[in-house]
Amino acid sequence: MGAQKSIHAGKAKIDVNVDFTHKLCAALMLHPFRNSGNPLSQIIGSLCIKHPSVFGGSEKLDVSWDKGLYDSNVLVAYRRPRPEWLSQQSFVVQHSISPEIGVHGFPVDNFSRSGSGGVNLRRFSAGVDLNEPASSHWSSTTSIKFEHVRPVNDDGRSITRDLDGFPVTCSGSPHDSMVVLKQESRYAKANDRSFSQLSLQIEQGVPVLSKWLIFNRFKFVASKGVKVGPALLLASLTGGSIVGDMAPYQAFAIGGLGSVRGYGEGAVGTGRSCLIMNSELTLPVNKVLECAVFLDSGTDLGSGRHVPGNPALRHGKPGTGIGCGYGLRLKSRMGQFQVDYAINAFQQKTVYFGVSNIVS
């Protein structure tokens, strides 16, 4: 049960989306870990304000707020008009709080779910995004941001160690600070029978001050889709690695929806490196319904022991995992609905629900 509304105030547009129900996926996949007597804590939704010309010169201002059961995110973006042949500049400020389940959560029910480890992250960032003009099939974005990360417990109090007494920051203090230079390049090509996509991300921690984090983090995602008769075969490969200074929350979390289905978030492993392979075959039943079969696998490449505090070993994560299953995809005017039934290597069964492209 929920409500959606779009309001026009002058040139500005305000989108409101309020949902009075629990997130099904969170309720099924996570153990309850934060009890609150405040009834507003059970409301999830979003608020978005867009202004096309905030100062009368086509400057765009976007303000969005998203609230979940256990997380929230506030984003403010200001974009100045520039010629199409120049990089488009965006000034972005963001503040979020979310549970760190992928690294500090512990696997339960034969690794099919992840419980809370009592660690949540408050993040504040401010910086500039530069979107380069697209060239052929390539596009790229460069950004430089200041980031401030403060771990807190379920009561919102700052912490420096997890429940086992291991540090949750790289600096050992209640917070980590860093300046991150990020370069992302994207390639996309498609025709009637196939498509190819490639994303390359490089993040560099810049040592502005001696106590700030210095690291290099690399990640890639390669996807290929091919039509086989009426069916579509999709395969993707994701990998990454990080060297230099590292806090536990920067580790690659393997497992969960969008990674290795059949496992809880981060229940396969958490490492300095990762390699994840996904394959899926979808077959249309009619114009609005598709059925699918899938196979996922992932590994931390033996790098879990190199994460500070070795949370993967302490929580008994296997480091490698494989999941398979089947699902349904339903397209309607209200959006796209997805249901997946997955089985992991421990024969534990899990159901995932997803909704996307909701029409307001």
Side-chain angles (χ1 to χ4, degrees), residues 13-45:
K13 180 184 178 183
I14 303 175
D15 295 325
V16 183
N17 176 18
V18 180
D19 193 338
F20 295 92
T21 63
H22 289 273
K23 285 183 178 177
L24 285 177
C25 191
L28 292 172
M29 299 303 298
L30 301 177
H31 279 313
F33 59 90
R34 184 181 301 166
N35 296 320
S36 174
N38 183 1
L40 295 179
S41 66
Q42 302 304 310
I43 298 176
I44 63 175

Side-chain angles (χ1 to χ4, degrees), residues 33-34 97-100 118-122 150-154:
F33 59 90
R34 184 181 301 166
I97 180 170
S98 60
E100 183 44 272
V119 179
N120 306 270
L121 297 180
R122 289 185 180 271
R150 180 183 294 273
V152 298
N153 61 17
D154 291 341

